[in-house]
Amino acid sequence: MTQAKDEIKIGGLGASRKRVEDNRFIRGKGRYVDDIVLPGMLHMEILRSPLAHARIVSIDTSKAWAIPGVRLVLTGEMMATRNLAWMPTLSYDTQAVLATDKVRFQGQEVACVVADDPYIAKDACEAIVVEYEALPVIVNPTQAVAQGAPLIRDDKDNQHDNVIYNWEVGDKEATDRAFAQADRVSKLELHYPRSHPSPIECCGSIADFDRSTSKLTVYMTSQAPHVIRAAVALVSELPEHMIRIISPDLGGGFGNKVPIYPGYVMSILASILLERPVKWIEDKTGNLISTGFARDVYLKGELALRNDGKILGVRMHTDADHGAFFSDAQPSKFKIGLMHSAFSCYDIPAAHLTAQGVYTNKAPGGVAYRCSFRVTEAMYFQERMVQAAADDLGMDQAEFRRRNFVRDDDFPHRTPFGFLTDSGQYGKCLDVGLEAIGYADFLREKEEAKKRGRLLGIGISTMTEPLGAGNSREYDILGMKMFDSAQLRVHMTGKAILRTGAKTQGQGHETTWAQIVAHELGMPAEDILVEEGDTDNTPFGLGTYASRSTPVAGAAVAMVSRKIRAKARKIAAHLLEVSEEDIEWELGRFYIRSSPERGVSIQECAMAAYSNMPDGMEPGLENVAYYDPPNLTWPFACYIATVEVDPVTGVWDVLRVVAVDDCGVRINPMVVEGQIMGGLTEAYAMASMQFITFDAQGNCVGSNYMDYLLPTAWETPGYELHEVVTPCPHHPIGAKGIGECATVGGPAAFVNAVMDALKGTGVRNIDMPLLPDRVYEALTKRHDVSGAPPVKTDD
Ligand code: MCN
Ligand code: CUN
C-alpha cells in the first residue's frame, strides 16, 4: 500500500530546502563562462575610449597587427562593411558596436583585438593609435536640453536635439482639479543616482562558429538566452535553429546580464571570420564603466493633500538620463518602464506623470539592477514624497501611510496610474513592522536622545510593486510577447527532468522549481533535476528579470506538473482497473475513492507510462506548458530602519532594520529570506556608500571598487525578517515575486531614517548616497544637498 507524502519531508512547498546548486558552488565546481575552454579558442580584448565625446579622426591598427599572436583587429570601419557597426537595442534605438564616427561616452568600444591569449590581445589594444578631436560633453539632462547643446546622436537622421522621448500617463485634468482642491501641496525634488549591479562575474561570451555544420554556439552571460537567440537571428541572418545560446552558471546578474552588449556581437563576428572559438571576458572596470547602469533619474514630485492627511492627487515629472544610447531592456509600450507603478499601495483618486528621456555622454543603461523596469525609482520617489508630505502636515509617518493605504477589502483595486492590484494586507504588514521595531518606544527614545544632543531617526518604506511581466497583451520586448514556459519529462523510474525558459543567476531555481513539482506531483524534490539556460534544450521563454520567474516560469512549472498528473491519473485508473472518475488524488498517490487503501504512487504511474500503458494511450510521461499570466503579481513590503547620525561628523549608523514581506505563498522560505537580505544589503549600499558619477568632462568617477563600494559583512547591518502571506489570487500556487522587493523598497527606509534624524533643520533632501560629508553639509549649512553630476574633482 502506498502512502500520501509529507510535503515538507519531500521538499515541497514551504520546505526550507538547502540549495542544491550550492553543492557545486561552495566546492568551486561551478561552471561559468570563463571556466569553459574550447579547443583552438582565441581571446578577445576591447579598446575603450578615454574621452566621453570626441570625433574619431583616425585609427591606426598597424602596430597591433604586427604583434605575434594577434589574429584579428576589428574597428568600426570593418564592422560597417558587414553592416554590424551598429546594432539595434532592446528599446528600438541603435547602439554602436564599435565607434565609427564619434565616441559618445567614456569607455565606449573603439576597437577589439583577437589573439592567442588575453595578454597579447590586451597589449595589442594598447598598440592601437586613435586620434580624437574632443567635443563638448553633456553629463546631465539639464545640459542635454540646454540651448546650443551639442547634438550627441548626429548619426540618426531625424534627431535634432538630445531628447529621446516625451511620455505621459494618468489623468491630467483630474489631477489639476485635485490640486485645486488641496489644503496644501507638498513638493520634493530628488535624484536617484546611477548605480551598478556589479555582479561578481562580469559579462562575457565564447562564440563558436562551426563552418562545417553552419552552427553558431555562444556561451554567454545572459539572463535571457532565448531573447538573445532571437535577436542574433534577426541581426546576423543566421537561421534561428542554427544558433544555440548557452548561459551556464552565472555569478550573479542583477539585471546587468539582460541587455545585448557590443562585446557579445564582436566575439560572434570574430568567430565567424576566424572559424575559431573566440572568448571575451570583461574586466571589472569595463563592467563598471560600460555595461548595465541603472537609475539616473530626476524627480519633481508634488502631492495634493487634505489637512486630515488624505492624499488627493499626485504629480510626477521625471527626467531620465539614458546615456548615449537608449538601450533599456523593458516592455516596449512603456518609455520610462513601470515608473507609473508609484503610489500603487495608496488609494489616490488622481495622478499624472510626465517623463522625458535624454541622451548624454554617459554609458547607456538606465533600467537594469534589481528593478522590475524602474520600479526601484518609482518606490524610492514615492516613499520619499510620502515622508515629506507627512512631515509637512505634521502627521505621524505611520499614521499618514495607514490613512492612505488601499484597504484589504478594496481589491481588486485600480491604481492611480491604471494598474490593477489584486490582493494584499498593507495595514497588517505595517502593524507587524511597527510592533517589531517598537515604534512608540523608539519615538520616545528619540525625543530623549535629542535633549542630549543625539540625533536618532526612524524611516519607514511601504510599497507594493508589480513583478512578473507579462501578461502578453501589455508586455513585450521588441514585439516578443512576455510569457514563459516549462517542460517536464518524468522517466520510467519516477525521476524527472524539468526545463524552463527562465535562467537562474543565483536565485536558486534548481532548488525551488523542483519544490513546485514536488508539491504538484508528490515526487521528492531531490528526484527532479532542473535545467535552464541552453536554448537547444529548453522551451522558449523571456528569461529572468523583473522577478518574473516565479510569477511566470514558476506558474508554468505548476501547470506542466498538472498536465503530467492528468495523464498519470488515466494511467492510475488503468492500473487500478477502475474508471478515471473513481480516482482520487492525494500527495504522491492516486487511490480508489470507495476503497482508499487501494492506490498507486506517481512513480508506479511513471513506470506504467513506459511499460504498461492503457490501450491507445501515447506512451511516455512528458509535457510542456507555456504560461501567459493574467496579471502581474503585487507583493507588498514594509521596511523600517532606525539610525543614529553623528552631528559632529555626519556619519550615520544603522541601529536596526525590520523587514515585513508579503510575497504570497513562499515556495522556499529560506531562499526568500536570502533574497530579502541580499536586497536590503544592496539598498543599504545605494543609500550609504555607492557613488558612481561623472565629472564635467564625462570621466566616470567610480570605475573601480576603491571608488564604488560594495558593503562587506562588516558594514552590513543585521536584519530582522517577518512575513505576512496573502496568496496571489491568479497564480497557480499563490506565489508572488520577491527577487527585487528589498532593493526596491529598502533605500527609502534608510534615507527616510536619516532625514527623520535631521527633522527640524529645514533640510528636505539629501540625495543618495548619503555620504557623511553630504549629511554634514546639510546639517551645518541647513540646506538640501544634491548628488547630481558633474561632481567637483580635485584638479
Ligand atoms: N521564491 C519563493 N517563493 C516566492 C517567490 C520566490 O520561494 N513566493 C523563490 C523563487 O523560487 C526563486 C527566488 O525566490 O528561487 C526568486 O524568485 P523570483 O522572485 O521569482 O525572482 P527571479 O527568480 O525571477 O529572479 C530575478 C530577480 C531579479 S530581477 C534580480 S535583478 C535579482 C534577484 O532576482 N538578481 C539576483 N535576486 C538575485 N539573487 C541572486 N543571488 N543573484 C542575482 O543576480
Ligand atoms: Cu531590472 S534587474 Mo532584474 O529585473 O534582472
Side-chain angles (χ1 to χ4, degrees):
M1 198 181 111
T2 51
Q3 293 278 314
K5 296 289 186 297
D6 177 329
E7 173 139 2
I8 298 298
K9 275 197 192 138
I10 63 166
L13 219 54
S16 281
R17 198 182 167 220
K18 283 197 182 142
R19 299 185 357 145
V20 294
E21 41 270 85
D22 289 349
N23 255 328
R24 59 179 191 280
F25 292 153
I26 59 177
R27 290 185 170 117
K29 296 283 187 193
R31 194 165 178 259
Y32 302 90
V33 169
D34 202 20
D35 292 321
I36 295 165
V37 177
L38 300 179
M41 189 172 78
L42 300 171
H43 299 265
M44 187 183 99
E45 289 287 331
I46 294 173
L47 176 69
R48 299 178 180 281
S49 168
L51 300 178
H53 200 193
R55 199 158 296 290
I56 296 178
V57 180
S58 63
I59 304 180
D60 180 358
T61 59
S62 54
K63 287 206 180 75
W65 279 107
I67 295 176
V70 168
R71 305 286 174 157
L72 183 68
V73 185
L74 281 176
T75 61
E77 210 172 298
M78 291 162 73
M79 298 293 281
T81 63
R82 306 242 160 197
N83 226 354
L84 279 175
W86 293 83
M87 64 177 184
T89 70
L90 296 176
S91 278
Y92 292 99
D93 193 8
T94 49
Q95 174 171 357
V97 177
L98 283 176
T100 46
D101 50 342
K102 290 201 304 193
V103 288
R104 292 175 171 83
F105 69 90
Q106 185 186 56
Q108 189 180 336
E109 299 80 358
V110 174
C112 78
V113 175
V114 180
D116 290 348
D117 73 42
Y119 309 100
I120 299 175
K122 195 97 196 157
D123 287 347
C125 279
E126 279 167 23
I128 297 172
V129 183
V130 187
E131 194 188 329
Y132 296 103
E133 183 189 303
L135 295 167
V137 170
I138 290 174
V139 294
N140 64 42
T142 311
Q143 295 175 341
V145 297
Q147 277 286 329
L151 182 62
I152 296 174
R153 294 300 302 275
D154 49 356
D155 57 290
K156 296 179 79 172
D157 281 346
N158 295 315
Q159 187 76 41
H160 304 298
D161 55 23
N162 293 317
V163 176
I164 307 172
Y165 58 79
N166 275 293
W167 194 76
E168 68 177 305
V169 59
D171 186 335
K172 183 173 186 308
E173 278 81 56
T175 308
D176 289 346
R177 279 198 300 278
F179 275 83
Q181 286 160 12
D183 293 329
R184 67 183 296 159
V185 172
S186 171
K187 297 186 183 184
L188 200 62
E189 293 195 13
L190 304 170
H191 177 223
Y192 202 133
R194 279 200 163 207
S195 58
H196 198 280
S198 43
I200 295 175
E201 179 204 32
C202 299
C203 297
S205 55
I206 307 171
D208 182 12
F209 181 68
D210 183 338
R211 174 92 42 211
S212 68
T213 58
S214 298
K215 183 122 187 177
L216 172 70
T217 305
V218 191
Y219 298 85
M220 188 187 281
T221 50
S222 176
Q223 299 176 219
H226 291 274
V227 175
I228 300 279
R229 182 185 65 191
V232 172
L234 294 172
V235 180
S236 71
E237 293 169 14
L238 290 170
E240 197 174 351
H241 65 301
M242 287 296 168
I243 302 165
R244 179 181 187 186
I245 308 293
I246 302 173
S247 288
D249 286 332
L250 297 184
F254 304 104
N256 196 177
K257 293 167 181 169
V258 181
I260 302 174
Y261 295 121
Y264 299 152
V265 180
M266 287 183 264
S267 68
I268 291 172
L269 179 65
S271 177
I272 292 173
L273 291 174
L274 295 168
E275 297 185 24
R276 301 254 307 256
V278 174
K279 179 187 272 187
W280 165 64
I281 300 291
E282 194 178 55
D283 60 20
K284 278 286 169 208
T285 293
N287 183 252
L288 280 170
I289 66 174
S290 75
T291 54
F293 281 101
R295 337 288 187 223
D296 216 344
V297 188
Y298 296 76
L299 168 86
K300 288 195 181 81
E302 290 182 297
L303 284 176
L305 303 169
R306 218 163 56 192
N307 281 337
D308 66 358
K310 170 81 184 150
I311 306 174
L312 300 175
V314 53
R315 259 191 213 129
M316 295 171 79
H317 174 79
T318 63
D319 285 296
D321 179 338
H322 290 274
F325 310 104
F326 183 27
S327 69
D328 295 12
Q330 65 186 5
S332 305
K333 232 167 101 167
F334 306 107
K335 290 295 167 222
I336 188 75
L338 304 186
M339 185 73 81
H340 55 306
S341 62
F343 295 96
S344 289
C345 70
Y346 299 110
D347 182 15
I348 302 178
H352 187 234
L353 170 117
T354 52
Q356 185 170 66
V358 297
Y359 291 119
T360 60
N361 291 115
K362 292 150 82 174
V367 79
Y369 192 15
R370 239 170 168 180
C371 59
S372 193
F373 316 125
R374 299 276 186 201
V375 170
T376 317
E377 292 94 314
M379 299 313 157
Y380 178 71
F381 292 160
Q382 166 195 306
E383 284 308 289
R384 291 285 298 114
M385 284 169 72
V386 164
Q387 159 143 335
D391 284 350
D392 287 346
L393 285 168
M395 254 183 96
D396 174 75
Q397 292 297 325
E399 184 50 32
F400 180 65
R401 285 178 169 81
R402 196 192 316 278
R403 205 165 283 189
N404 287 288
F405 274 158
V406 176
R407 290 197 326 268
D408 298 359
D409 52 7
D410 273 351
F411 295 105
H413 174 82
R414 194 57 76 180
T415 76
F417 289 108
F419 291 95
L420 195 69
T421 53
D422 48 33
S423 57
Q425 303 177 66
Y426 304 164
K428 180 174 173 187
C429 290
L430 179 61
D431 288 343
V432 172
L434 294 176
E435 167 82 29
I437 201 97
Y439 190 58
D441 288 345
F442 185 84
L443 293 185
R444 268 194 298 279
E445 203 184 311
K446 184 182 142 180
E447 287 316 308
E448 284 302 307
K450 201 167 181 182
K451 290 180 197 147
R452 295 192 305 277
R454 288 174 59 203
L455 298 176
L456 302 190
I458 184 161
I460 303 175
S461 174
T462 49
M463 55 112 211
T464 184
E465 62 163 322
L467 295 183
N471 61 73
S472 70
R473 289 187 312 284
E474 281 187 292
Y475 300 94
D476 73 273
I477 289 189
L478 287 184
M480 280 180 255
K481 297 284 190 186
M482 301 192 80
F483 54 83
D484 230 282
S485 62
Q487 181 199 49
L488 180 58
R489 181 180 300 162
V490 183
H491 302 317
M492 181 182 294
T493 56
K495 316 286 174 188
I497 181 157
L498 175 84
R499 293 171 164 137
T500 85
K503 174 58 205 166
T504 188
Q505 315 128 44
Q507 296 88 345
H509 294 179
E510 289 169 53
T511 306
T512 53
W513 292 168
Q515 294 184 248
I516 299 177
V517 180
H519 167 69
E520 293 292 334
L521 293 179
M523 295 162 49
E526 64 191 31
D527 287 353
I528 300 137
L529 175 71
V530 177
E531 287 189 349
E532 293 181 336
D534 179 343
T535 58
D536 267 12
N537 297 329
T538 54
F540 186 87
L542 272 278
T544 291
Y545 43 87
S547 300
R548 59 188 301 281
S549 303
T550 301
V552 195
V557 173
M559 297 314 270
V560 76
S561 303
R562 290 176 191 181
K563 287 185 181 181
I564 295 287
R565 197 167 74 205
K567 181 166 181 184
R569 173 188 291 272
K570 292 190 198 318
I571 297 171
H574 164 71
L575 294 176
L576 294 166
E577 299 178 325
V578 292
S579 78
E580 211 190 317
E581 293 75 62
D582 297 329
I583 295 285
E584 290 287 332
W585 167 256
E586 61 184 356
L587 194 67
R589 175 181 188 261
F590 294 102
Y591 62 89
I592 302 173
R593 188 175 306 116
S594 54
S595 44
E597 74 289 353
R598 285 190 56 215
V600 286
S601 66
I602 187 79
Q603 288 83 359
E604 286 167 304
C605 295
M607 178 59 82
Y610 295 87
S611 61
N612 177 19
M613 52 280 187
D615 277 351
M617 179 185 272
E618 188 180 337
L621 197 54
E622 176 174 349
N623 221 317
V624 61
Y626 283 83
Y627 191 80
D628 184 1
N631 193 7
L632 300 155
T633 70
W634 295 88
F636 183 84
C638 169
Y639 302 123
I640 306 179
T642 55
V643 299
E644 171 153 15
V645 179
D646 181 343
V648 181
T649 60
V651 171
W652 52 281
D653 287 318
V654 177
L655 304 173
R656 285 177 67 201
V657 182
V658 163
V660 186
D661 280 271
D662 179 355
C663 60
V665 173
R666 296 183 176 198
I667 304 162
N668 182 324
M670 181 200 69
V671 166
V672 167
E673 290 185 358
Q675 288 293 313
I676 296 166
M677 291 186 202
L680 285 171
T681 304
E682 291 178 328
Y684 171 66
M686 290 186 288
S688 66
M689 63 177 77
Q690 289 188 332
F691 192 45
I692 202 154
T693 185
F694 296 81
D695 68 12
Q697 285 75 47
N699 293 309
C700 179
V701 181
S703 60
N704 58 67
Y705 287 151
M706 293 290 284
D707 296 324
Y708 189 71
L709 305 179
L710 298 186
T712 65
W714 178 258
E715 293 88 16
T716 301
Y719 307 118
E720 302 162 44
L721 307 187
H722 300 266
E723 77 172 324
V724 167
V725 176
T726 317
C728 173
H730 61 78
H731 188 278
I733 57 165
K736 305 178 181 185
I738 187 66
E740 291 155 305
C741 297
T743 316
V744 171
F750 294 108
V751 176
N752 281 347
V754 175
M755 296 314 298
D756 183 55
L758 266 57
K759 203 162 130 181
T761 58
V763 179
R764 282 181 82 74
N765 184 52
I766 305 172
D767 278 331
M768 292 192 291
L770 274 70
L771 301 168
D773 61 318
R774 289 188 182 174
V775 177
Y776 181 76
E777 181 181 336
L779 261 173
T780 48
K781 306 252 172 73
R782 304 203 160 223
H783 61 204
D784 289 7
V785 180
S786 160
V791 289
K792 291 183 233 56
T793 46
D794 297 338
D795 45 58

